[in-house]
Amino acid sequence: MRKIIYWVHASIDGHIAGPHGEFDWPALGPELSGYSEAMNEQVGTLMYGRVVWDMMASYWPTADADPETTDDHARAFAPFWRRTPKVVVSRTQETAGWDALVIGKNLAEEVMELKRQPGKDILLTGGAQVAASLTALGLLDDYRVVVHPVVLGGGPRLFLEPEHRLDMRFVDSRTFDARTVLLRYERQG
């Protein structure tokens, strides 16, 4: 069965976006970009909540179009983004473009069906609400949190308040570019 990996950037005060939705603070140096690109090798489906989807769909389709771009991550990830199947979790949106499948009417059943399909793992990028919903359903398997050296002072929290305590098992940690720290956990039990 495929796993769902939660890939999220967070501030040291536990926010995944600024007080007004700002996402201009993640620092993607060459080591972090390299880790992200290597992780893509184990991923066969990209998953987003509606808010993150809107941000991703407005940038990644043409992020590598400018031949003068100096952003190596954009040149590497944009083609991967375009060719990889995508899923958008939304209770209100019917279609999403880019041949993305929209789910959310019966989240548990729809996600279990995705996990049962053959292939590589599913990567959920950002989206505290979707992560909280999948966590509550016991469907999120691997938490990869990249902590950046910034205090945002507000905005969406990394973890919404769960109904019950979540026990995690430590899997890995590492630093990237002498700037960011990856904390990797799996849900225990």
Side-chain angles (χ1 to χ4, degrees), residues 4-176:
I4 297 179
I5 301 166
Y6 182 38
W7 175 247
V8 64
H9 298 274
S11 64
I12 45 182
D13 60 338
H15 299 279
I16 62 171
H20 305 287
E22 308 92 319
F23 198 68
D24 57 351
W25 47 271
L28 275 100
E31 292 174 358
L32 180 54
S33 292
Y35 179 87
S36 175
E37 290 163 23
M39 188 171 52
N40 291 340
E41 295 299 317
Q42 77 180 93
V43 171
T45 303
L46 301 172
M47 180 182 281
Y48 305 102
R50 188 200 49 80
V51 173
V52 176
W53 168 256
D54 288 345
M55 180 179 68
M56 299 296 275
S58 72
Y59 179 73
W60 286 111
T62 60
D64 60 341
D66 180 359
E68 303 292 317
T69 187
T70 59
D71 186 344
D72 292 335
H73 181 68
R75 280 198 301 269
F77 187 72
F80 172 79
W81 188 91
R82 286 190 298 266
R83 73 177 174 265
T84 303
K86 293 166 249 338
V87 174
V88 178
V89 179
S90 176
R91 289 183 297 261
T92 59
Q93 194 165 327
E94 297 292 326
T95 61
W98 288 99
D99 296 321
L101 171 66
V102 178
I103 65 170
K105 302 295 185 209
N106 187 341
L107 190 60
E109 190 175 295
E110 292 166 314
V111 170
M112 277 306 297
E113 177 57 31
L114 287 171
K115 290 179 76 155
R116 283 198 260 329
Q117 293 174 3
K120 296 179 179 182
D121 291 334
I122 301 163
L123 183 68
L124 169 63
T125 300
Q129 187 63 54
V130 174
S133 295
L134 294 178
T135 296
L137 293 168
L139 297 173
L140 219 161
D141 305 292
D142 186 337
Y143 298 77
R144 299 185 192 189
V145 180
V146 179
V147 181
H148 293 263
V150 62
V151 175
L152 295 173
R157 302 284 310 164
L158 173 60
F159 288 102
L160 303 180
E161 293 183 24
E163 289 184 31
H164 307 285
R165 182 175 76 189
L166 300 174
D167 292 322
M168 301 287 198
R169 183 178 70 81
F170 174 75
V171 176
D172 189 21
S173 69
R174 56 177 78 172
T175 60
F176 299 108

